Amino acid sequence: MSTFGKLFRVTTYGESHCKSVGAIIDGVPPGMELTEADIQPQLTRRRPGQNKLTTPRDEKDKVTIMSGTEFGVTLGTPIGIQVPNLDQRPHDYSETDIYPRPSHADYTYLQKYSLKASSGGGRASARETIGRVAAGAIAEKYLRLAYGVEIVAFASSVGKVAMPFVRELENADTPEPELIEFMNTITRNDVDADISRCPHPPTSEAMKALIAQKSHERDSIGGTVTCVIRKCPVGLGEPCFDKLEAILAHAMLSIPATKGFEFGSGFNGTKMSGHEHNDPFVLKEDGTMGTLTNNSGGIQGGISNGENIYFRVAFKPAATISQDQTTANYDGLTGVLAARGRHDPCVVSRAVPIVESMAALVIMDAVLQQESRRAALSRLPSIEINPALVGKPPKKD
């Protein structure tokens, strides 16, 4: 479906070549200052045509808030946002009237709905993610103001070119201290210092060279985006079926072109023994409980524990490429698809703000659910509770 979230609900609309794309965002708390200037930066980071590593489709993606605010303040009513599609070229897709693009959604959409959008990717296009990013920017502002939450994603690999910590995690038993410090301090300014959105200069140069090579070959290449959520409130997540990592996985795997998700120690954790993987508890300097290590990735039992939440998302090579491809047409006859259109040789750099935005939507929805539980509890009269239920030793007679 086209709606995500329970209390913070986002419904996106639009296709690749329709008049506009956007979203309706329901559940935004009233009384928060909000203008287009709060939303536009993330949309600008996501937009096509921003540099030589991305598709040449030149969309400015200028956002307009249509409802839900007055005098720059949220009313608590649904917020409508709209972004026009301006640089459309439907004639570039006449070949897809005959051929379903290999590994694209043309064939499956046709089978599901008995028809499909005649140009672009329809709802499977990354244009759909504009509504998500706009909604994520709104959620992120609230989380930052109310809780100090910080969400930063970055390109961690393209093809076989990877940041050092990615290679180390695949071979080491535990994360190196340098990685932990990196995740504690990385900022969006660090990420945006290079068009690759990789904050490690030697790796960034290699990534750009590989993407340029694939573009020259009229091909594409995949990669990974790593994300860290800092200062996340403790207690978020709804076991059993809506555990926080499960909803994060749901959110990330709903992004076009995603192929994998891992959090915390991920698949590398399967190589470790229990005593190596367990995160011992410690009392922090501020008097709160924390963990000495963070193989859990900030989530235990499906509930946030206050440590950094970190995860990695895998993106496949873009399916639409400009090379001639031997495939079958809709009648099952073998032929050659010579696809046109304008497409990313690598989606990873533009996926960074999309990953951040989906993370913000997950945390925002979880915050509203947890705060509603606490508010309901606060209305009850005080009662005497067995100490064992609240993690305290039994009273002595």
Side-chain angles (χ1 to χ4, degrees):
M1 305 299 285
S2 294
T3 299
F4 183 82
K6 293 185 176 179
L7 298 184
F8 193 87
R9 293 173 59 83
V10 179
T11 301
T12 68
Y13 78 86
E15 294 86 36
S16 179
H17 291 164
C18 64
K19 291 183 179 180
S20 70
V21 291
I24 298 292
I25 305 110
D26 206 355
V28 180
M32 181 176 73
E33 291 183 328
L34 184 72
T35 67
E36 286 86 351
D38 295 305
I39 302 171
Q40 192 61 53
Q42 281 290 73
L43 287 177
T44 299
R45 295 177 79 216
R46 192 220 72 92
R47 80 173 185 87
Q50 58 185 277
N51 58 58
K52 63 184 180 182
L53 300 184
T54 66
T55 169
R57 179 172 175 172
D58 188 16
E59 296 281 1
K60 303 308 178 187
D61 287 352
K62 185 175 181 181
V63 66
T64 300
I65 296 175
M66 308 297 291
S67 66
T69 66
E70 194 169 350
F71 303 113
V73 175
T74 57
L75 299 174
T77 54
I79 292 177
I81 66 99
Q82 184 181 76
V83 171
N85 282 331
L86 300 175
D87 189 19
Q88 310 158 342
R89 295 183 187 175
H91 56 274
D92 282 354
Y93 293 84
S94 57
E95 294 86 353
T96 62
D97 292 341
I98 305 170
Y99 291 95
R101 286 168 289 179
S103 293
H104 210 291
D106 301 328
Y107 175 76
T108 50
Y109 265 65
L110 180 60
Q111 295 303 306
K112 181 173 182 62
Y113 298 107
S114 299
L115 45 82
K116 66 176 183 67
S118 63
S119 67
R123 286 293 283 169
S125 168
R127 294 296 292 166
E128 179 272 332
T129 63
I130 285 174
R132 306 170 184 231
V133 172
I138 296 170
E140 194 174 354
K141 179 168 186 178
Y142 178 85
L143 293 170
R144 182 175 63 252
L145 293 175
Y147 299 95
V149 172
E150 300 171 349
I151 304 174
V152 182
F154 54 92
S156 48
S157 70
V158 170
K160 295 181 180 180
V161 176
M163 291 179 64
F165 81 81
V166 174
R167 297 193 299 270
E168 290 166 2
L169 279 178
E170 291 173 349
N171 298 305
D173 291 333
T174 57
E176 297 294 327
E178 293 80 4
L179 168 60
I180 297 172
E181 179 62 21
F182 177 84
M183 297 298 249
N184 286 338
T185 58
I186 183 71
T187 67
R188 285 189 187 168
N189 286 337
D190 297 330
V191 174
D192 288 348
D194 189 90
I195 60 174
S196 69
R197 295 214 164 94
C198 173
H200 184 257
T203 307
S204 172
E205 293 303 314
M207 285 181 176
K208 289 185 289 187
L210 179 56
I211 295 170
Q213 175 190 333
K214 294 301 176 183
S215 181
H216 178 72
E217 295 169 352
R218 298 189 301 171
D219 210 339
S220 62
I221 189 73
T224 63
V225 172
T226 297
C227 183
V228 59
I229 306 171
R230 297 190 291 254
K231 302 179 183 177
C232 180
V234 180
L236 305 187
E238 302 296 323
C240 290
F241 297 108
D242 289 339
K243 293 178 179 180
L244 191 58
E245 71 269 34
I247 303 303
L248 280 170
H250 176 187
M252 298 306 149
L253 294 177
S254 74
I255 300 171
T258 50
K259 282 296 180 183
F261 172 86
E262 65 174 357
F263 83 102
S265 61
F267 290 103
N268 192 59
T270 65
K271 306 172 188 177
M272 302 166 67
S273 298
H275 76 277
E276 297 171 314
H277 193 271
N278 288 344
D279 298 318
F281 286 98
V282 294
L283 187 65
K284 293 185 174 182
E285 292 182 359
D286 62 2
T288 61
M289 289 288 286
T291 61
L292 191 61
T293 54
N294 191 18
N295 291 311
S296 301
I299 304 172
Q300 294 171 328
I303 300 169
S304 60
N305 66 3
E307 300 295 331
N308 289 347
I309 296 171
Y310 62 94
F311 56 87
R312 191 158 54 130
V313 186
F315 289 85
K316 70 173 184 176
T320 305
I321 59 176
S322 298
Q323 287 186 14
D324 291 353
Q325 299 178 83
T326 300
T327 186
N329 64 21
Y330 285 107
D331 293 326
L333 301 176
T334 300
V336 176
L337 169 63
R340 293 178 290 162
R342 297 156 296 169
H343 307 283
D344 295 274
C346 181
V347 302
V348 170
S349 64
R350 290 180 59 212
V352 164
I354 304 173
V355 168
E356 292 170 342
S357 298
M358 291 307 296
L361 295 183
V362 170
I363 300 303
M364 182 68 185
D365 198 37
V367 158
L368 293 183
Q369 292 178 63
Q370 180 64 4
E371 290 295 351
S372 68
R373 177 179 288 104
R374 287 178 174 171
L377 175 61
S378 70
R379 304 291 295 179
L380 292 172
S382 297
I383 60 173
E384 186 174 346
I385 297 177
N386 189 303
L389 296 178
V390 290
K392 297 184 181 297
K395 294 181 179 179
K396 296 181 179 180
D397 295 332

